[in-house]
Amino acid sequence: MLLNHYHHRLPAAFDLQQVRERAKTRGNLWDNVPGLYFKAFLIREAGKLGAIANSYSSLYLWRDAAKLCDFLTDGRFSVVTDSFGRPAVNTALVLDARKGPDGTAKVLTLEEVAVPLDADIAAFAATEQERNLRDAMLTGTVAAVAGLNPTAWTVTRIRLLAEPPASTSTATTFEIAYLAQPELSDLPDGAS
């Protein structure tokens, strides 16, 4: 599995309702894409959920590299590049991905953690897998994913949540404008 995310910072005066409408209009095009567990259309609005600036982004969980490669090269990605330019596509190898007990996600949290230089990678990965399993079992969780970026040596922790987190953390919280989830139900349960 592969996790990928790209981000577009928007001008302060940009009408985010346009982005929300774009997500609703384009979102259903992703509802039946083979090899895609989910795609989240994400918004950060200045002054809400800790955001200091407006932005739009997309986050995907793919079954395999071939499906991600197809998306980037078969013309579908040109909708993004034609509108917003060519973004850096942050990609991570999935250490663990699970669905949680809740069914409707309103927000997504994203946290990136550096892998310490002296870390035992196998032990570090096992700890992240255990953490992701615990996160997936928490009330309000729709899905939890942990991915490793071996270029930057970071771990990306994703949680799709029914409500914004109550506590302050180092995670960035995004509003989900649309969640396409063609194969989300195929992920193992947090309880398994």
Side-chain angles (χ1 to χ4, degrees), residues 27-148:
N28 63 2
L29 300 174
W30 293 89
D31 286 340
N32 297 304
V33 173
L36 179 66
Y37 289 104
F38 66 81
K39 174 184 179 176
F41 292 77
L42 305 171
I43 294 174
R44 298 266 295 152
E45 185 173 352
K48 294 185 178 179
L49 301 173
I52 60 170
N54 294 334
S55 68
Y56 168 65
S57 62
S58 293
L59 186 137
Y60 306 74
L61 180 61
W62 295 97
R63 189 172 292 276
D64 59 47
K67 297 297 183 187
L68 170 56
C69 185
D70 288 347
F71 163 60
L72 292 173
T73 62
D74 69 6
R76 287 180 286 168
F77 196 59
S78 65
V79 171
V80 173
T81 58
D82 290 351
S83 297
F84 298 101
R86 188 183 298 167
V89 180
N90 298 315
T91 304
L93 306 168
V94 174
L95 299 170
D96 191 64
R98 298 181 181 272
K99 61 185 172 190
D102 209 291
T104 305
K106 294 181 184 171
V107 297
L108 179 145
T109 60
L110 184 150
E111 181 178 18
E112 293 202 354
V113 179
V115 178
L117 286 174
D118 58 351
D120 175 313
I121 299 299
F124 190 87
T127 299
E128 286 299 321
Q129 290 166 333
E130 291 168 14
R131 176 192 176 103
N132 195 67
L133 174 60
R134 287 192 307 273
D135 285 349
M137 293 189 300
L138 294 173
T139 301
T141 300
V142 175
V145 182
L148 173 68

